[in-house]
């Protein structure tokens, strides 16, 4: 519909008087005065762009209350997010399967070792128990029998009767913190004495 000369004159007067800064300001001013057609004064509706590839994906995200990380790109067209992408987000990152023997994995867990950083010596780089143990010298020491604490009196008896440390490994010490004291060796010394006396009697019989 054509604008009348009178309306155009009024529009020009308003613009000269108000001196709007830009086109949007001018349209707002003239629309408030009723000088513009409705279509021209209405702001075009902004089309909402969805990050999701489908309504199903959007519903899935709402149902699971998923928080989409900033900058996350989906695998669908135009980097849009699909249901598959959302399922992976919900499940979290997949744990990488470690190429290691069960015993090596158990040992690593028990000793707080990150097995994923170990280079395995087995087939196809498989991490073996020895590979993990090599990384923790203390573990090797743990395998060896712990050195028993022995009191000075017990140590003298051990020397006297030629008792080795290996011989007392299974003896329960009755001293402080499991220290082996003289009385703990009594049974072992009695056995040694019995053996010696048996040997002496055999030698006597042979001499007779």
């Amino acid at each position: 519909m054509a604008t009348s000369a009178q309306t155009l004159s009024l529009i020009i007067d308003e613009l000269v008087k108000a001196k709007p800064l830009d086109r949007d300001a001018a349209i707002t001013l003239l629309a408030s005065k009723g000088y513009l057609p409705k279509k021209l004064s209405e702001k075009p509706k902004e089309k909402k762009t969805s990050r999701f590839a489908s309504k199903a994906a959007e519903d899935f995200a709402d149902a699971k209350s998923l928080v989409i990380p900033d900058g996350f790109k989906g695998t669908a067209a135009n980097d849009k997010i699909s249901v598959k992408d959302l399922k992976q987000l919900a499940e979290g990152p997949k744990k990488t399967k470690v190429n290691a023997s069960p015993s090596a994995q158990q040992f690593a867990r028990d000793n707080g070792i990150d097995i994923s950083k170990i280079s395995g010596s087995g087939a196809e780089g498989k991490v073996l128990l020895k590979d993990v143990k090599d990384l923790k010298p203390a573990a090797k020491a743990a395998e060896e029998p712990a050195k028993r604490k022995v009191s000075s009196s017990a140590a003298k008896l051990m020397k006297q009767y030629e008792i080795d440390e290996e011989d007392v490994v299974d003896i329960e010490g009755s001293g402080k913190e499991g220290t082996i004291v003289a009385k703990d060796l009594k049974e072992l010394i009695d056995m040694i004495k019995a053996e010696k006396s048996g040997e002496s009697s055999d030698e006597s019989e042979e001499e007779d």
Side-chain angles (χ1 to χ4, degrees):
M1 190 172 85
T3 306
S4 66
Q6 185 183 357
T7 303
L8 284 172
S9 178
L10 290 170
I11 289 172
I12 293 168
D13 290 342
E14 282 293 338
L15 292 175
V16 170
K17 181 182 173 183
K19 296 179 181 178
L21 294 173
D22 53 29
R23 175 185 168 84
D24 288 340
I27 289 174
T28 303
L29 171 68
L30 297 175
S32 66
K33 300 291 182 180
Y35 296 153
L36 296 179
K38 192 176 180 182
K39 283 186 180 180
L40 187 62
S41 60
E42 283 181 348
K43 288 186 178 180
K45 289 182 181 179
E46 291 182 9
K47 192 176 180 182
K48 190 180 176 182
T49 307
S50 175
R51 298 176 68 185
F52 302 100
S54 64
K55 183 72 168 62
E58 193 171 349
D59 292 342
F60 184 91
D62 288 340
K64 297 287 182 180
S65 301
L66 290 177
V67 177
I68 313 296
D70 291 336
F72 180 83
K73 291 184 178 181
T75 56
N78 300 321
D79 296 330
K80 292 203 172 184
I81 302 166
S82 65
V83 174
K84 182 183 175 183
D85 298 325
L86 294 170
K87 283 182 178 178
Q88 287 178 350
L89 271 177
E91 290 169 4
K94 288 185 178 179
K95 290 183 179 179
T96 308
K97 192 175 179 182
V98 179
N99 185 19
S101 67
S103 57
Q105 291 185 50
Q106 183 62 49
F107 186 89
R109 279 195 296 270
D110 293 344
N111 292 279
I113 298 170
D114 186 354
I115 201 167
S116 65
K117 295 180 180 177
I118 300 173
S119 297
S121 60
E124 297 179 359
K126 188 171 188 175
V127 179
L128 306 177
L129 182 59
K130 71 182 184 71
D131 298 324
V132 189
K133 285 184 175 179
D134 286 345
L135 212 67
K136 191 175 177 67
K140 286 185 174 181
E143 289 182 348
E144 297 170 6
K147 193 173 182 179
R148 299 301 304 274
K149 289 182 180 179
V150 181
S151 68
S152 56
S153 57
K156 285 178 184 177
L157 287 171
M158 287 173 67
K159 188 175 181 181
Q160 182 183 340
Y161 291 95
E162 299 178 344
I163 299 170
D164 295 325
E165 284 186 5
E166 287 80 4
D167 297 328
V168 298
V169 168
D170 297 322
I171 293 177
E172 249 182 83
S174 59
K176 191 178 180 182
E177 296 180 356
T179 301
I180 296 173
V181 295
K183 66 178 182 178
D184 300 325
L185 300 174
K186 185 178 182 302
E187 188 176 343
L188 181 59
I189 290 171
D190 287 344
M191 286 173 61
I192 293 169
K193 284 179 178 177
E195 285 177 9
K196 284 188 175 180
S197 63
E199 287 173 5
S200 299
S201 61
D202 288 342
E203 286 174 5
S204 300
E205 286 175 8
E206 284 175 9
E207 286 174 4
D208 294 341

